[in-house]
Amino acid sequence: MKTIYKFSAMLLILASIMAAGCKKVDVGYLSDNIRYGANPVVVDKGVFKIVTGIIPDNSTPPFKITLLDVRNKETGKREEAFFKESEITVWKEKYDPKTDTTLELINAKRVKEMSLPLQVIEKSGQLMFTQATDNVPPGEYLLDLQIENPNGTKKYEGITSIKVNNPVLYEISTAPYFILVEP
């Protein structure tokens, strides 16, 4: 009879040790080292550009990425030009050079829309710069994002810098090297 009690007591102790040793595993992981591959992201004013998304550093998807702020790198103040909509021209149908031979036919396939200069795609973190960047002053800016996943939410201040340049108005691309290089 004593062996049954001993066996039962040992079984009870073993079960309580196993129960105490188990803990619930958190769902997901949200890294402190999320970043963009390009730093700085270089953008020409008035030119459409999409930049690859975030490098999640083994963080668990799905993500919900929100633009918090774009700050001037020198002053640290919010750059309001990134948050003002401007009118841009977008294509509503694809352009066919064989049939769209006049300006009237081309303009029939385009419409004017209001758009922000910078949009962050919510699931991937891709940065989409529109032609509305024409109204953003040239300079360097810091990007602040908020990223949410099943584990929680974190704010990333200065996750990357954005360099807005004036566009190149012309470019010599077929000239010999000795002409392009100044002595």
Side-chain angles (χ1 to χ4, degrees), residues 91-146:
W91 293 92
K92 63 180 181 178
E93 295 177 37
K94 70 177 188 173
Y95 171 74
D96 184 3
K98 294 178 183 173
T99 58
D100 301 330
T101 55
T102 65
L103 191 56
E104 292 81 26
L105 292 170
I106 292 171
N107 286 335
K109 293 187 174 186
R110 301 190 304 177
V111 293
K112 300 215 181 253
E113 290 182 357
M114 297 301 286
S115 178
L116 292 171
L118 170 63
Q119 298 171 21
V120 178
I121 298 174
E122 184 178 271
K123 299 293 182 194
S124 64
Q126 290 176 287
L127 304 176
M128 183 171 74
F129 296 93
T130 66
Q131 295 87 336
T133 54
D134 204 26
N135 299 322
V136 174
E140 287 200 49
Y141 304 95
L142 294 172
L143 181 69
D144 299 339
L145 297 179
Q146 175 176 301

Side-chain angles (χ1 to χ4, degrees), residues 4 10 16 18 21 35 52 74 91 108 121 130 165:
I4 293 176
M10 287 176 45
S16 62
M18 287 178 60
R35 61 188 172 82
T52 52
E74 290 179 11
W91 293 92
I121 298 174
T130 66
N165 294 328

Side-chain angles (χ1 to χ4, degrees), residues 33 36 40 61 104 121 151 173:
N33 299 318
Y36 280 90
E104 292 81 26
I121 298 174
N151 183 270
S173 59

Side-chain angles (χ1 to χ4, degrees), residues 19-59:
C22 296
K23 69 174 188 174
K24 188 173 181 179
V25 177
D26 291 336
V27 176
Y29 169 68
L30 188 56
S31 173
D32 292 328
N33 299 318
I34 292 177
R35 61 188 172 82
Y36 280 90
N39 192 9
V41 174
V42 180
V43 180
D44 289 334
K45 288 177 62 168
V47 177
F48 181 84
K49 181 176 186 173
I50 294 182
V51 178
T52 52
I54 60 170
I55 299 174
D57 189 39
N58 290 327
S59 296

Side-chain angles (χ1 to χ4, degrees), residues 69-81:
D69 205 2
V70 180
R71 297 175 287 123
N72 188 305
K73 195 170 187 176
E74 290 179 11
T75 64
K77 294 183 181 177
R78 178 182 174 104
E79 182 56 58
E80 291 298 331

